[in-house]
Every structure is written in structure tokens, then in C-alpha cells.
Amino acid sequence: MTITHRVMLMSDPATAWDLSSRGEAMRMISEKMDAATQGSLDAAFAAGRLALRSASGRMSTDDVAHDLLAIGVAAGRPAARRARANAKRLSRT
């Protein structure tokens, strides 16, 4: 939904120089950078928790697998949250 709306908005020659199109493009870039930064920080914190827990020596192989999955989820959560918010916002316009 979000990609379709933005591609149509930015590929239309009539709106190529429109301020709202440029504003949407800048918003898209800044949101992606913010989500990537937040995702990498969240993943780093989750990796730190894994390292601390593994240093104690009381982790099973299942715990390691769950913590590795938690790192991936933490990395992707901000981008998924932004995509849902954008789909909701752009469906109203």
C-alpha cells in the first residue's frame, strides 16, 4: 500500500516539482533512516542481553535460539511499525 502510493506520487510528472511530493520523499528518507537507526540500536541491546546471559553459563540451546530470534525481531520492529503507520496515514489521503 505504502510503496504503491509513494511510487505513483513520485512518478507522476505533474507532481514531480510539487512541494507535497518533495515533502513526502524527504519524509520517506528520514523515516527509513530513523527506523534503521532504531532497529540497529534495539538489535545491539538484544545482542548485549544475549552476551550477558551466555556469560553466566546457564543457557540452553533453546535459549540461544530464542535470543537470536529476538535480535532479528528487535532489528525489524521499527521498520514494520513505520510501514503500518504509513499505510494507515496514506490510505486516508
Side-chain angles (χ1 to χ4, degrees), residues 10-78:
M10 288 184 244
S11 64
D12 185 5
T15 62
W17 299 104
D18 187 22
L19 287 177
S20 66
S21 294
R22 279 192 271 158
E24 184 64 27
M26 294 304 293
R27 182 177 184 162
M28 177 181 61
I29 292 167
S30 68
E31 285 177 347
K32 292 207 180 353
M33 290 177 64
D34 290 344
T37 302
Q38 186 63 49
S40 92
L41 286 172
D42 293 347
F45 286 130
R49 282 192 297 274
L50 171 62
L52 288 173
R53 288 185 61 205
S54 66
S56 71
R58 294 179 290 169
M59 289 184 71
S60 69
T61 54
D62 286 343
D63 292 335
V64 173
H66 287 265
D67 282 356
L68 289 174
L69 183 61
I71 293 169
V73 169
R77 188 175 293 128

